[in-house]
Amino acid sequence: MQEQNENRERLVAEWMIKGQAKRGKPITTPKSFSGRVREDPTSFLENLVVDAEANGWDETDLLEVIGGFLKDNARE
């Protein structure tokens, strides 16, 4: 079941990235964040901003795609 959820989340993230033709093909794909204790939310957000800049995403683009990189507790 966890594998199904991870696959679904990956597909949603890919759809969100590919579905926005105005952004073009991403140079880098941000890593996901689930909100587990071992994960650092600050690092996730800092890396997300760096990846967004590398991909040429503005704040609107970032708000459109961020949900695709959140999973488990972080998505809830």
Side-chain angles (χ1 to χ4, degrees):
M1 180 139 174
Q2 183 177 0
E3 186 176 330
Q4 273 184 324
N5 286 339
E6 289 174 359
N7 188 41
R8 181 182 56 87
E9 290 166 356
R10 181 184 55 79
L11 291 174
V12 168
E14 289 174 0
W15 173 81
M16 291 177 84
I17 291 170
K18 290 177 184 175
Q20 299 295 324
K22 67 183 175 104
R23 285 194 294 272
K25 185 176 180 177
I27 294 170
T28 183
T29 302
K31 293 185 179 176
S32 62
F33 178 77
S34 65
R36 293 184 180 141
V37 174
R38 62 181 163 82
E39 293 178 308
D40 179 12
T42 302
S43 293
F44 165 74
L45 291 172
E46 289 171 347
N47 290 329
L48 184 64
V49 169
V50 169
D51 290 340
E53 289 174 355
N55 289 327
W57 298 344
D58 61 18
E59 289 177 5
T60 302
D61 296 327
L62 188 54
L63 289 173
E64 289 175 355
V65 301
I66 192 170
F69 302 108
L70 300 176
K71 60 183 187 176
D72 301 333
N73 290 337
R75 179 171 284 204
E76 291 177 20

